[in-house]
Amino acid sequence: MESKLNLNPRLIDSARTAARNIADDVQNFIDKNTTVTVERTVARLMGVDGVDEIEKPLPNVLIDAIKEGGGLSRGAAFWIGNAIVNTGKTPQEIAEKVSSGEIDITRLPIADENKIMEAVYSTAKQMVERIKNSRAKRDEYLNSIGEGRKPYLYVIVATGNIYEDVLQAQAAAKQGADIIAVIRTTAQSLLDYVPYGPTTEGFGGTYATQENFRIMRKALDEVGEEVGRYIRLCNYCSGLCMPEIAAMGALERLDVMLNDALYGILFRDINMQRTLVDQYFSRIINGFAGIIINTGEDNYLTTSDAYEEAHTVLASQFINEQFALKAGLPEEQMGLGHAFEMNPMLENGFLYELAQAQMAREIFPEAPLKYMPPTKFMTGNIFRGHLQDAMFNLLSIWTHQGIQLLGMPTEAIHTPHLQDRMLSIENAQYIFNNAREIGNEVEYKKDGIIQKRAQEVLAKAEELLKDIEEEGIFDTIEKGKFGGVKRSFTGGKGLKGVVEKDEKYFNPFIDLMLGGAK
Amino acid sequence: MEGIQKADLTKIKPYGDTLNDGMVQMSFTLPVPYGDEASEAAKQLVSKMGFESPAVVFSKDLGVGYTYFIMYGKCTHTVDYTNIEVPKITMEYMEREEVEDYIKKNIKRDIVIVGACTGTDAHTVGIDAIMNMKGFDGNYGLERYKGIEAINMGSQVPNEEIIAKAIEVKADAILVSQVVTQKNVHIANLTQLVEMMEAEGLRDKIILICGGPRLNHELAQELGYDAGFGTGSYANHVATFVVNQIVERNMI
């Protein structure tokens, strides 16, 4: 594709190479470590689910038992496999017996290694097959009832009650939404477990549970068949349980997951070692399940200035791209994020936003870019807000964004009311239709404001990436170069859930899932 | 101008394009299917709200048996403006440089302000706007102020932790931001902080301020805070209040 922005391909290559080296460096660290949530994910994927009498999830009960027994560095798969060989029971039955105290899982006799491997792989393959079928079911829907045109219209529901969410989601789908994201209750990202069952209470959102996923999936399939369009379901694969949520989403056919490599570190103060290890396995699962990930670069722009810090967004997109590739996630599933967050009073701000959006399009040509709406400068003036959203929609159709998170006129007032979503969908549909081919018709003046701005942002991003390459990502984050947020290597939440692997560690699902179906 | 009627401030009502026409624009959704009956229901409802001549100017099927309306009506009620009283922070806000000078002249030491978005709330946009170096909309945040040590603890900070931090750094003031207000979660959280500070015997020793899009000074005072800052507040407003309080309460 010829660059409309006259971007220097050598700079793009250099930035990408630096990002690759940054990711390689971190991958060495990732490969040496596991975490409690990675191991709980292994347990879940081997069939462990449910809660004990105090509502503690059985995957937590099991992994805590292994950890207390000093066995976590060997990996949960080994201990579950050994218990299967010893008892002839299923992983679920084993977890129940661990919970009731009937089995001390790390004190069982160690069985023959081949038998353990056989037990592990035959169990693991069943779940991998289930995920494959789930992916096939999505393809079947896409081939039969089809889907909306890009940019997909993405709206949020956030009532706290999954059944109320269903009503609002179905209404939004009927009005034209293509993706429904169920916002998570604000407290969930810092829970070191995934709650269980259907839930009807939450603050600013609804708990992400496997049962809630199932309820919403069913509702969206129903309404999708009715409107003749596959409706995608999105949730949050972030926080302290990234890979567990990925596994639940893969099983229940979620289509989109918020899944950033650095977000938890910067914005939830989760320990960086923990998040980097967690994100890797979560992305392997998302990649295998055909789930589009959305990265969180938009967040940099709500904490720092969108005009001045634009290059950090691009730098982060490059890094997220490389981490995703490491986890075998193809570019078509990389919903790299960015946002329309410049101060609306900035003269020519629209031109700078255009430069940024077009630049991302050209640098990541296959990625379904996730474009986030204005939020920071939404004031409560719903009428001006509706106009800001219109400008944002115009840029999206112009620069061929992949996923359009629709801005709401009532942003900064409340979680969207039923009619707010309708007004926003109507806004986007009107503009997308009315200006459909504008991007193919318009070129930019050579060395004009738009071209120069994009070139400048690219140059600064390349420079930043080379700095990070030299310093390493850990030091960079410690110095606060992303989003202006400083985090220390051993600070933040969840560090005690990180465990170094021993030489016999294994995780069958990395083997079975990395790089897609074999 | 002659010939134009002046508003009677003891009996004010909305102005559309003629004084006292009472015109109000409103929009809402009813959980009934789109159609003539829905519009009639909307009109009757608006009449019950105290509007004359209710008119549905637009309605739309929301797709799940619900209907959206944009309406106008003439308000029949009035309010006596001359009797209104609103508790407010009554002070002239200083600019950043003035605050810095004020600290130098009147307090003669660095002051310490600890801030956070507390409880389960994960939205740092408010506390960042007030505290971070960059500030918001051209107004620098407290971190930029000479003479102020500003510590932004970020989001989802438990009330225990912000109190512990305030003790540790001998804070003069605590700023609490609350953005999520669904089901009044912010009220419970803000109340808990006051109660914990009272229990620790700290309430009088530290200036306690809250802020957020759904907060105002009146609500803040009701909850036991020294001040509340809503939408449109900047770092210099908060800073002015804090330095004045330090001097007034003799916390120098």
Side-chain angles (χ1 to χ4, degrees):
Chain A
M1 182 172 67
E2 200 187 324
S3 173
K4 287 186 180 187
L5 295 169
N6 208 7
L7 296 173
N8 180 348
R10 279 196 307 276
L11 269 186
I12 299 174
D13 286 345
S14 165
R16 197 164 257 134
T17 304
R20 189 177 306 126
N21 292 337
I22 293 163
D24 278 342
D25 188 35
V26 177
Q27 193 63 37
N28 287 329
F29 173 84
I30 293 169
D31 289 338
K32 288 186 191 124
N33 293 282
T34 186
T35 71
V36 284
T37 182
V38 165
E39 298 308 316
R40 293 196 298 258
T41 307
V42 169
R44 282 179 187 275
L45 288 173
M46 292 184 76
V48 177
D49 196 10
V51 288
D52 70 7
E53 71 284 355
I54 56 159
E55 298 279 305
K56 182 169 173 177
L58 288 181
N60 287 64
V61 171
L62 184 66
I63 299 309
D64 287 354
I66 295 174
K67 189 161 189 249
E68 277 154 31
L72 208 59
S73 54
R74 190 77 197 260
F78 170 80
W79 298 108
I80 297 171
N82 187 53
I84 296 172
V85 177
N86 269 283
T87 64
K89 307 243 175 253
T90 65
Q92 177 67 19
E93 289 163 344
I94 291 163
E96 285 164 9
K97 287 189 181 302
V98 168
S99 173
S100 64
E102 287 169 69
I103 290 182
D104 186 347
I105 190 158
T106 55
R107 297 288 174 273
L108 292 171
I110 302 299
D112 174 66
E113 197 171 326
N114 289 331
K115 279 191 181 160
I116 293 176
M117 289 307 244
E118 201 191 307
V120 167
Y121 274 84
S122 76
T123 312
K125 278 180 184 160
Q126 289 171 25
M127 207 60 99
V128 169
E129 201 55 36
R130 220 180 113 186
I131 293 172
K132 251 192 234 171
N133 291 340
S134 177
R135 186 175 177 154
K137 179 84 185 165
R138 180 193 302 120
D139 290 340
E140 194 187 307
Y141 267 124
L142 289 173
N143 289 328
S144 57
I145 60 174
E147 60 177 334
R149 288 166 89 175
K150 280 184 186 165
Y152 300 137
L153 302 184
Y154 173 127
V155 299
I156 282 163
V157 296
T159 67
N161 178 333
I162 189 63
Y163 302 106
E164 200 82 39
D165 285 344
V166 160
L167 174 90
Q168 299 201 358
Q170 290 188 324
K174 287 188 179 174
Q175 290 152 15
D178 300 304
I179 301 178
I180 305 292
V182 182
I183 297 284
R184 254 182 351 181
T185 178
T186 57
Q188 192 172 352
S189 59
L190 298 181
L191 297 180
D192 214 337
Y193 65 91
V194 183
Y196 183 78
T199 68
T200 55
E201 285 286 327
F203 296 114
T206 306
Y207 282 101
T209 72
Q210 195 165 342
E211 186 57 29
N212 286 349
F213 285 3
R214 201 174 296 141
I215 290 167
M216 187 57 88
R217 174 75 276 159
K218 184 163 168 277
L220 295 186
D221 284 347
E222 280 168 16
V223 73
E225 281 168 29
E226 197 183 325
V227 300
R229 238 172 40 247
Y230 183 66
I231 308 297
R232 287 182 165 83
L233 174 56
C234 173
N235 211 288
Y236 287 63
C237 196
S238 58
L240 282 168
C241 297
M242 293 174 100
E244 286 179 275
I245 300 271
M248 291 161 30
L251 290 167
E252 303 305 333
R253 190 163 34 86
L254 269 76
D255 308 283
V256 182
M257 283 283 194
L258 274 68
N259 188 222
D260 190 276
L262 306 176
Y263 173 81
I265 304 168
L266 299 173
F267 302 105
R268 290 293 177 271
D269 196 15
I270 295 174
N271 175 264
M272 60 174 90
Q273 306 177 44
R274 170 74 181 259
T275 285
L276 286 165
V277 175
D278 290 349
Q279 64 85 27
Y280 175 62
F281 190 32
S282 74
R283 284 180 171 192
I284 290 175
I285 298 168
N286 285 330
F288 184 80
I291 290 172
I292 297 171
I293 64 162
N294 288 174
T295 59
E297 282 81 1
D298 53 292
N299 293 284
Y300 301 150
L301 304 180
T302 52
T303 53
S304 54
D305 185 82
Y307 179 77
E308 288 169 18
E309 299 298 320
H311 64 290
T312 66
V313 168
L314 179 58
S316 172
Q317 288 170 331
F318 273 118
I319 293 173
N320 259 314
E321 176 189 46
Q322 292 305 319
F323 277 126
L325 288 172
K326 289 253 171 251
L329 203 129
E331 201 180 339
E332 292 73 15
Q333 284 170 239
M334 285 181 208
L336 299 172
H338 62 138
F340 187 90
E341 285 281 20
M342 288 182 202
N343 188 332
M345 296 300 123
L346 179 66
E347 188 169 68
N348 288 323
F350 185 77
L351 275 60
Y352 303 131
E353 296 280 18
L354 173 57
Q356 185 82 15
Q358 180 68 32
M359 178 186 65
R361 184 68 288 158
E362 291 188 3
I363 294 175
F364 308 100
E366 303 302 325
L369 297 173
K370 161 91 172 285
Y371 204 17
M372 300 287 284
T375 59
K376 188 175 176 178
F377 291 95
M378 295 295 268
T379 55
N381 177 349
I382 56 176
F383 303 101
R384 193 183 86 167
H386 210 45
L387 274 174
Q388 287 169 256
D389 288 337
M391 298 288 267
F392 160 68
N393 288 332
L394 180 59
L395 267 195
S396 181
I397 194 67
W398 191 327
T399 58
H400 303 126
Q401 301 297 308
I403 297 174
Q404 182 80 344
L405 196 155
L406 293 182
M408 297 286 145
T410 51
E411 176 74 41
I413 304 174
H414 48 233
T415 48
H417 289 174
L418 201 63
Q419 65 260 21
D420 299 341
R421 267 185 225 99
M422 179 276 288
L423 291 166
S424 294
I425 291 169
E426 190 181 68
N427 178 336
Q429 284 176 331
Y430 158 54
I431 290 167
F432 288 1
N433 183 59
N434 211 231
R436 180 69 66 184
E437 297 297 333
I438 191 168
N440 300 331
E441 293 289 316
V442 177
E443 291 177 354
Y444 311 116
K445 185 169 143 191
K446 188 165 187 309
D447 295 329
I449 296 171
I450 296 167
Q451 282 204 354
K452 275 189 162 156
R453 168 68 184 174
Q455 291 159 6
E456 177 195 310
V457 172
L458 172 60
K460 280 171 85 174
E462 193 254 2
E463 205 175 307
L464 174 61
L465 284 164
K466 283 165 92 175
D467 279 358
I468 300 171
E469 183 185 9
E470 204 152 291
E471 285 191 49
I473 198 140
F474 297 119
D475 285 355
T476 305
I477 296 171
E478 289 198 313
K479 287 183 181 159
K481 288 198 184 169
F482 283 111
V485 184
K486 290 181 189 173
R487 299 297 184 205
S488 84
F489 187 65
T490 52
K493 302 171 179 88
L495 176 61
K496 62 176 190 290
V498 181
V499 175
E500 202 174 326
K501 297 173 183 173
D502 71 23
E503 68 280 7
K504 284 186 154 178
Y505 174 91
F506 75 100
N507 174 346
F509 298 100
I510 291 183
D511 183 26
L512 292 169
M513 290 180 172
L514 181 58
K518 295 181 182 91
Chain B
M1 277 189 290
E2 275 179 54
I4 290 188
Q5 202 189 336
K6 279 191 90 179
D8 176 358
L9 293 181
T10 62
K11 281 188 228 149
I12 55 152
K13 55 159 58 180
Y15 182 106
D17 74 346
T18 309
L19 188 65
N20 294 329
D21 61 13
M23 286 304 275
V24 173
Q25 174 193 55
M26 63 198 113
S27 67
F28 56 83
T29 296
L30 289 180
V32 294
Y34 174 79
D36 294 340
E37 290 77 11
S39 292
E40 182 54 30
K43 281 194 266 185
Q44 289 192 16
L45 187 67
V46 166
S47 294
K48 285 189 177 177
M49 291 179 194
F51 293 100
E52 280 176 353
S53 320
V56 174
V57 296
F58 178 79
S59 68
K60 183 165 172 146
D61 184 353
L62 290 185
V64 281
Y66 287 26
T67 308
Y68 173 63
F69 303 92
I70 298 179
M71 297 191 61
Y72 283 86
K74 296 181 172 184
C75 178
T76 54
H77 302 292
T78 65
V79 163
D80 181 357
Y81 180 78
T82 58
N83 261 332
I84 301 278
E85 269 182 56
V86 180
K88 265 191 232 173
I89 302 171
T90 47
M91 63 172 57
E92 298 234 335
Y93 292 123
M94 294 185 267
E95 291 305 314
R96 174 170 61 98
E97 294 79 5
E98 297 172 282
V99 170
E100 290 170 349
D101 280 350
Y102 187 92
I103 294 172
K104 216 194 244 169
K105 285 193 193 115
N106 300 301
I107 305 179
K108 301 186 179 76
R109 64 171 173 88
D110 282 3
I111 65 168
V112 182
I113 302 179
V114 176
C117 187
T118 57
T120 59
D121 200 340
H123 299 77
T124 59
V125 57
I127 196 75
D128 288 345
I130 300 298
M131 297 198 81
N132 283 6
M133 196 66 86
K134 175 75 198 172
F136 182 72
D137 209 4
N139 297 271
Y140 289 131
L142 297 176
E143 286 179 354
R144 176 88 59 156
Y145 283 57
K146 271 182 234 134
I148 296 183
E149 190 193 334
I151 300 162
N152 183 354
M153 297 177 71
S155 68
Q156 297 189 332
V157 176
N159 283 328
E160 294 86 341
E161 277 183 30
I162 195 168
I163 291 175
K165 189 69 171 185
I167 295 170
E168 178 197 328
V169 300
K170 301 195 173 67
D172 297 286
I174 292 179
L175 304 186
V176 178
S177 168
Q178 296 281 275
V179 175
V180 173
T181 54
Q182 209 176 32
K183 294 171 189 154
N184 277 333
V185 61
H186 64 306
I187 304 288
N189 190 45
L190 288 169
T191 308
Q192 189 199 33
L193 179 63
V194 171
E195 284 169 358
M196 289 172 69
M197 288 185 62
E198 277 168 359
E200 296 271 339
L202 288 171
R203 181 60 198 88
D204 299 336
K205 295 177 189 144
I206 295 179
I207 299 158
L208 189 57
I209 297 171
C210 58
R214 302 270 77 77
L215 285 167
N216 56 47
H217 190 56
E218 187 178 2
L219 175 62
Q221 292 210 311
E222 253 175 60
L223 295 173
Y225 285 68
D226 293 308
F229 290 89
T231 305
S233 304
Y234 297 114
N236 66 307
H237 302 168
V238 177
T240 303
F241 181 81
V242 171
V243 296
N244 277 321
Q245 283 280 304
I246 289 177
V247 171
E248 260 175 47
R249 285 159 67 167
N250 201 18
M251 292 164 60
I252 304 164

